[in-house]
Amino acid sequence: DAGVTQSPTHLIKTRGQQVTLRCSPKSGHDTVSWYQQALGQGPQFIFQYYEEEERQRGNFPDRFSGHQFPNYSSELNVNALLLGDSALYLCASSARPGQGYTQYFGPGTRLTVL
Amino acid sequence: AQSVTQLGSHVSVSEGALVLLRCNYSSSVPPYLFWYVQYPNQGLQLLLKYTSAATLVKGINGFEAEFKKSETSFHLTKPSAHMSDAAEYFCAVQAQFYFGTGTSLTVIP
């Protein structure tokens, strides 16, 4: 049973560019959440997708957008990259979006913005 | 609003000693609480979660945590530290949208 997978593993971009990160949820899960983890910090919630719609959003600007596909996989897009966007981006999936449902995390994508 | 505070960004213990990692939460509703562990260059792995069924929660790798409503705490403990326990530990509240800043555990041989 495959767990949560993310691609790519590492990514290097320059300021102003755009980036797309991808996530495939754990088998049987239909809810995907994205987190940003800066170096030495805890994960910060970006948004959650369920039934192909953004259900909840954290305190992130509109430069951060996402999408969920019919097969429940998801993308995170970041436009106009800033140096401060450099971080580990984590995807997590769960069986449902409600509270108490355990989230299973992928290994993350390390984004470096130069 | 919900939030968590992890006291102590770094904790060092000797191998075989008690591990105690502190987490205090703030929640206007009965919370769901979680502890995750993160090894270097890896994602987060769930250690245990509290969902009001029992105040003492047992998790993987010998870890447990006790929910104390009167103290708004959910501290993580392990009776005897092992070298493999060295990692970053995160407390999270509610539907995991709120994570603490983490505690780095070092185990001294």
Side-chain angles (χ1 to χ4, degrees):
Chain A
D1 178 23
V4 180
T5 59
Q6 293 185 243
S7 63
T9 305
H10 295 86
L11 205 53
I12 299 175
K13 292 287 188 179
T14 58
R15 282 179 297 174
Q17 285 190 310
Q18 179 265 343
V19 68
T20 297
L21 311 181
R22 296 176 175 81
C23 171
S24 291
K26 180 178 170 65
S27 178
H29 287 184
D30 59 11
T31 303
V32 174
S33 301
W34 286 92
Y35 294 82
Q36 180 194 66
Q37 186 179 19
L39 197 61
Q41 300 296 317
Q44 298 291 316
F45 173 69
I46 302 175
F47 43 54
Q48 182 182 73
Y49 276 84
Y50 173 65
E51 293 185 333
E52 301 181 48
E53 292 188 5
E54 183 182 296
R55 297 290 175 163
Q56 293 201 45
R57 189 180 182 92
N59 188 28
F60 278 80
D62 292 344
R63 297 188 298 109
F64 289 77
S65 63
H67 188 77
Q68 186 178 36
F69 300 93
N71 67 353
Y72 309 123
S73 66
S74 177
E75 288 182 348
L76 164 65
N77 301 291
V78 187
N79 295 322
L81 285 168
L82 304 174
L83 295 179
D85 294 332
S86 294
L88 180 67
Y89 288 84
L90 295 166
C91 171
S93 73
S94 58
R96 284 293 184 273
Q99 63 186 19
Y101 284 96
T102 299
Q103 295 198 6
Y104 294 83
F105 284 81
T109 294
R110 175 73 63 186
L111 172 64
T112 302
V113 182
L114 302 176
Chain B
Q2 298 93 29
S3 66
V4 290
T5 301
Q6 291 185 241
L7 301 176
S9 57
H10 294 88
V11 170
S12 293
V13 300
S14 297
E15 190 175 16
L18 171 71
V19 176
L20 171 60
L21 305 182
R22 300 177 187 273
C23 173
N24 288 88
Y25 70 91
S26 172
S27 177
S28 57
V29 297
Y32 289 87
L33 295 161
F34 304 79
W35 275 100
Y36 284 88
V37 61
Q38 185 176 34
Y39 297 99
N41 300 313
Q42 294 188 26
L44 278 71
Q45 180 183 5
L46 179 70
L47 280 176
L48 49 83
K49 67 177 182 181
Y50 167 77
T51 58
S52 77
T55 57
L56 183 62
V57 182
K58 294 187 183 299
I60 63 171
N61 301 338
F63 284 94
E64 62 181 37
E66 186 173 8
F67 174 73
K68 292 186 177 181
K69 184 178 180 179
S70 61
E71 299 177 7
T72 61
S73 68
F74 190 57
H75 302 330
L76 182 71
T77 61
K78 182 174 181 177
S80 177
H82 191 272
M83 296 298 293
S84 61
D85 295 328
E88 191 82 17
Y89 291 80
F90 294 95
C91 180
V93 68
Q94 209 64 21
Q96 301 105 62
F97 293 161
Y98 302 93
F99 280 80
T101 53
T103 297
S104 177
L105 176 65
T106 299
V107 181
I108 304 167

